[in-house]
Amino acid sequence: MSEFFKAELKDKFLEYASERDDYFQLHLLYDEFLKPNYSLQFVEKLVYEIMEYDSALLDIMSGNGSKIFMLSATALTKDFLDESGFKNLYIQEEEKWDVFLTQLADNRKLSFSSKVTPGNTVKTENKKERFLLLSLLSAVILSFVFTLFSLLKPFFRNDDYVSREEFQRVIFEMERKIKENDVMPNDLFLQSKPTEIKKDSIN
């Protein structure tokens, strides 16, 4: 007999007791629900289980050589049936077990996947560490290059150039002399040597 069927029978025993206002003998439960497929001892076993769960659910009288000779409902019997009953308690317990087993299976899957591919976690961690290290190294190198450039910049500056104004002044002077003296441009350029163009670059 399944545990669910036992829980259902216990509820039926309590319902039968709550419908009566008097004490009744144990064999009436047997006659009502289990005869002839099960024995009277099985009925007695189920009543013991009810009493083990909560002794206030039934009032028991011993006699005739038996610990359970007569029984009756109590004030708590109907309340217990209305609130849950053994059948609902069994269902709730099964649901708890289902949730527990589902969680256990999920945990096993997670642990199994981590065991099967332990390298993936290590590789991911290594990639993160490598990325951080490269980022830090790049920042240090860039900082070093900029610092070096700013320190060496004065050595590479060359102020030896002709300004635009100076160049325009020389050109203007050459054009004026050409117009005045009808001098060839090459000769004029040689004459303008005192202004000394130091470099071909123009600012």
Side-chain angles (χ1 to χ4, degrees):
M1 179 180 289
S2 70
E3 292 299 318
F4 179 78
F5 185 54
K6 285 181 185 178
E8 200 170 18
L9 275 175
K10 290 173 190 176
D11 285 344
K12 287 185 182 299
F13 291 174
L14 293 176
E15 285 170 10
Y16 181 83
S18 66
E19 289 169 1
R20 296 178 64 111
D21 296 328
D22 59 343
Y23 283 88
F24 59 92
Q25 291 184 6
L26 188 64
H27 73 81
L28 290 177
L29 292 174
Y30 172 70
D31 294 340
E32 185 74 23
F33 300 106
L34 290 172
K35 190 177 181 180
N37 297 321
Y38 292 90
S39 65
L40 184 62
Q41 285 76 24
F42 185 70
V43 176
E44 189 174 355
K45 179 178 179 293
L46 292 178
V47 172
Y48 272 126
E49 288 180 6
I50 292 171
M51 299 301 292
E52 283 176 10
Y53 177 78
D54 189 348
S55 60
L57 290 176
L58 289 172
D59 189 12
I60 302 292
M61 289 177 60
S62 60
N64 201 24
S66 176
K67 287 183 180 179
I68 303 175
F69 178 61
M70 299 190 75
L71 60 153
S72 171
T74 66
L76 296 176
T77 307
K78 192 161 184 359
D79 292 339
F80 174 75
L81 290 169
D82 291 340
E83 287 173 8
S84 60
F86 285 102
K87 187 167 68 173
N88 286 337
L89 286 175
Y90 175 81
I91 291 169
Q92 290 170 9
E93 192 66 27
E94 285 296 304
E95 287 173 351
K96 285 180 187 176
W97 273 105
D98 287 343
V99 170
F100 172 74
L101 291 174
T102 303
Q103 290 174 345
L104 188 65
D106 290 342
N107 290 339
R108 281 184 178 173
K109 282 179 185 175
L110 286 172
S111 63
F112 178 74
S113 62
S114 64
K115 283 179 183 175
V116 170
T117 56
N120 287 350
T121 309
V122 175
K123 284 179 184 176
T124 306
E125 289 176 359
N126 286 344
K127 282 182 181 177
K128 287 179 182 177
E129 288 176 2
R130 194 176 298 152
F131 176 75
L132 289 172
L133 186 63
L134 286 173
S135 301
L136 184 63
L137 195 60
S138 301
V140 170
I141 290 171
L142 281 172
S143 175
F144 176 75
V145 168
F146 281 120
T147 305
L148 190 65
F149 177 75
S150 63
L151 289 173
L152 297 177
K153 188 176 179 183
F155 296 106
F156 292 108
R157 283 188 64 189
N158 193 349
D159 294 329
D160 201 16
Y161 60 87
V162 177
S163 67
R164 180 174 290 177
E165 290 81 12
E166 181 71 17
F167 182 74
Q168 286 176 347
R169 189 185 65 75
V170 170
I171 295 296
F172 178 74
E173 192 69 29
M174 286 173 65
E175 287 177 350
R176 187 179 63 76
K177 285 186 178 182
I178 288 171
K179 286 178 183 176
E180 286 179 358
N181 303 321
D182 200 22
V183 182
M184 291 301 291
N186 285 340
D187 297 335
L188 189 60
F189 182 76
L190 293 172
Q191 290 174 16
S192 65
K193 206 165 185 181
T195 59
E196 196 173 323
I197 301 172
K198 296 180 181 178
K199 196 174 180 182
D200 292 338
S201 61
I202 299 172
N203 189 17

